[in-house]
Amino acid sequence: MGPETVAALFGLGGTIAGAAASTGAVIWQQRKAALEAERAHLLGLAEVAGNEMIRLSYEIETHLAEGVPDRNSSAYFTWISQGEELCRAVEEQALRFHDKQVRDLLARCHAEMYIRPEFVADPDGWPPRFRTISDDFRNVMGTVLRRQPLPCEVWEHYPNPS
């Protein structure tokens, strides 16, 4: 092999190495951009859901503050139905949060309101349970919107169901 052939092979090898490095860099950059876009999308969903949860917290508080109608009246069944709709809305919004702790907390609040609406609406306790739940919704959603860690003290209100 002559010196020209060796030089040509070195040139070809350099070209192939450069092409491989360039292609690898482009693929890496595309994956990074896709991950950043997905992260931005998830944060956007969480922000919209957080704002909707704050709005729902006021609606839930108003609904439960009305008190429990007489069990034998049609108003009672309307009240229960409206409460179930609000619980479904909470459950729907909870699916949009990436953070498992936030989803778990919302699931516990949802379960308490869905399973024991009359207890939650009872105004005799101080503070009434519905006020605690509504305040916790707003506090947690505030931390989500500010991208801060979940406040630890909120878990004291919702012990592990197991």
Side-chain angles (χ1 to χ4, degrees), residues 78-130:
T78 302
W79 184 82
I80 289 291
S81 176
Q82 288 172 342
E84 288 175 352
E85 284 180 35
L86 291 169
C87 283
R88 263 193 301 279
V90 167
E91 188 177 25
E92 181 183 315
Q93 295 306 318
L95 297 172
R96 291 176 168 82
F97 293 101
H98 180 71
D99 189 346
K100 183 169 177 9
Q101 278 192 316
V102 172
R103 289 193 315 267
D104 288 347
L105 181 75
L106 294 177
R108 289 183 192 180
C109 294
H110 166 268
E112 188 169 345
M113 289 185 313
Y114 190 77
I115 294 169
R116 309 181 323 164
E118 293 165 349
F119 169 77
V120 172
D122 184 12
D124 291 338
W126 188 254
R129 188 69 181 138
F130 65 87

Side-chain angles (χ1 to χ4, degrees), residues 16-159:
I16 291 173
S22 175
T23 302
V26 167
I27 291 171
W28 176 79
Q29 186 63 35
Q30 287 175 339
R31 287 184 180 165
K32 182 180 174 187
L35 286 173
E36 287 177 9
E38 181 181 1
R39 183 174 179 266
H41 176 71
L42 290 174
L43 286 174
L45 285 177
E47 185 173 324
V48 169
N51 287 325
E52 179 63 14
M53 282 299 304
I54 290 171
R55 187 194 68 75
L56 277 171
S57 74
Y58 288 110
E59 198 171 329
I60 288 166
E61 188 172 7
T62 301
H63 172 73
L64 294 172
E66 292 171 356
V68 183
D70 180 35
R71 287 180 150 258
N72 296 325
S73 69
S74 63
Y76 176 77
F77 296 106
T78 302
W79 184 82
I80 289 291
S81 176
Q82 288 172 342
E84 288 175 352
E85 284 180 35
L86 291 169
C87 283
R88 263 193 301 279
V90 167
E91 188 177 25
E92 181 183 315
Q93 295 306 318
L95 297 172
R96 291 176 168 82
F97 293 101
H98 180 71
D99 189 346
K100 183 169 177 9
Q101 278 192 316
V102 172
R103 289 193 315 267
D104 288 347
L105 181 75
L106 294 177
R108 289 183 192 180
C109 294
H110 166 268
E112 188 169 345
M113 289 185 313
Y114 190 77
I115 294 169
R116 309 181 323 164
E118 293 165 349
F119 169 77
V120 172
D122 184 12
D124 291 338
W126 188 254
R129 188 69 181 138
F130 65 87
R131 294 224 192 278
T132 302
I133 291 173
S134 297
D135 288 345
D136 288 344
F137 275 156
R138 289 188 284 271
N139 288 336
V140 168
M141 292 306 111
T143 62
V144 167
L145 293 174
R146 291 186 302 270
R147 293 180 180 89
Q148 293 176 337
L150 199 65
C152 296
E153 62 273 2
V154 80
W155 289 106
E156 295 171 3
H157 301 146
Y158 309 96

